[in-house]
Amino acid sequence: MRKSKVIMGVMAMAMVAALTACGTKATKETKTETTTANAANSSEITGDGVATKGQLVMVTNLEFPPFEYRENDQPTGIDVDIAKEVAKKMGLELKVDDIAFDSIIPELVSGKADISFAGMTVTEDRKQSVDFTQTYAKASQMIIVKNDSSIAGPDDLKNKRIGVQQGTTGDLFSSTVEGATIERYNKGMEAVQALVQGKVDAVVIDEQPAKVYVKEVQGTKVLDAVAKQDTEDTCYS
């Protein structure tokens, strides 16, 4: 099966350079386990028959503020802005497709998309299908609870019902918690709403979206304790 080349960059100019530099797996790979944005390399773009139509097709899940989300029904956020600059430097028009998070890699592998900027932890398993660039952001997995919750840290998650966004790092981490029941949702906000409704005891999700969600949903808070800290030498998303 063909490997889609996914590049995660620090800045638009650096990412454009990476698009022309990262042609094969023989290139230097970052040792990572964090969050990241992705972009296909130039050799893949030429061969996929997608970007050659004048568009750079980006797949993401627009439920990850402040990196990618909707505002006035339009894709926006840090990653969208960077992707626009990448497309501009390449002389292409950016097209953003909003899909389920766990469908991102299959879309890249199938050649239906060129790049992905998304909150995706770099894992050895994922690197079998896609490539990542250097770190441009780091993230910690945080715990959201109701204000009156007795849960004070990750050790208290044992035997609890944990809400997660399906396929995310929060999902991967929560699956290792002893005795926990994992409730998976398509959107992070759906997990937080389930928390308020009493369907789960806690939500595990990336730090920045967690901060946004608790501002929007009364009666919830982010614990100071980190559920999972991503390593320093990583690529994110």
Side-chain angles (χ1 to χ4, degrees):
M1 179 169 55
R2 181 186 64 79
K3 290 185 179 180
S4 296
K5 300 298 181 179
V6 179
I7 297 177
M8 307 183 179
V10 181
M11 338 171 38
M13 289 297 291
M15 292 184 67
V16 173
L19 291 179
T20 60
C22 297
T24 68
K25 275 291 194 179
T27 14
K28 182 179 180 181
E29 290 182 334
T30 18
K31 298 176 182 177
T32 67
E33 191 177 67
T34 61
T35 347
T36 90
N38 324 337
N41 82 18
S42 57
S43 62
E44 291 295 330
I45 289 173
T46 303
D48 282 346
V50 179
T52 51
K53 298 178 181 179
Q55 288 184 327
L56 186 66
V57 180
M58 165 183 163
V59 284
T60 192
N61 181 244
L62 295 172
E63 299 291 337
F64 200 73
F67 293 98
E68 45 268 332
Y69 59 101
R70 287 187 180 274
E71 186 172 86
N72 298 323
D73 204 34
Q74 295 297 315
T76 190
I78 298 168
D79 287 344
V80 176
D81 288 343
I82 296 174
K84 287 179 179 177
E85 289 301 312
V86 171
K88 181 180 178 180
K89 294 293 182 180
M90 299 178 73
L92 300 169
E93 176 188 359
L94 181 68
K95 180 177 184 291
V96 179
D97 287 342
D98 182 17
I99 63 175
F101 183 84
D102 56 358
S103 296
I104 289 174
I105 288 181
E107 289 285 296
L108 291 166
V109 171
S110 70
K112 294 180 180 178
D114 298 306
I115 64 173
S116 176
F117 283 78
M120 183 180 296
T121 296
V122 179
T123 65
E124 291 301 320
D125 183 58
R126 286 170 174 163
K127 287 198 290 185
Q128 297 302 308
S129 300
V130 296
D131 287 340
F132 299 86
T133 61
Q134 296 176 341
T135 303
Y136 82 102
K138 294 182 292 185
S140 301
Q141 296 303 306
M142 306 303 292
I143 304 169
I144 301 176
V145 296
K146 290 198 285 189
N147 287 341
D148 60 355
S149 175
S150 61
I151 296 173
D155 290 342
D156 297 327
L157 294 176
K158 294 179 181 179
N159 303 313
K160 294 296 194 296
R161 299 167 299 167
I162 306 175
V164 299
Q165 183 177 9
Q166 182 167 319
T168 62
T169 305
D171 187 353
L172 298 176
F173 164 78
S174 298
S175 299
T176 68
V177 176
E178 180 183 343
T181 299
I182 312 304
E183 299 293 344
R184 295 177 172 86
Y185 300 89
N186 289 327
K187 303 176 180 180
M189 179 57 83
E190 290 177 353
V192 177
Q193 291 170 341
L195 172 66
V196 174
Q197 295 165 3
K199 296 179 180 179
V200 297
D201 302 308
V203 172
V204 175
I205 199 164
D206 282 57
E207 181 177 7
Q208 295 305 318
K211 291 178 179 178
V212 173
Y213 293 149
V214 297
K215 285 182 179 180
E216 296 180 357
V217 181
Q218 291 185 350
T220 63
K221 64 180 180 181
V222 180
L223 297 181
D224 292 333
V226 176
K228 180 181 183 297
Q229 178 67 60
D230 292 321
T231 56
E232 293 294 327
D233 56 342
T234 59
C235 294
Y236 177 84
S237 208

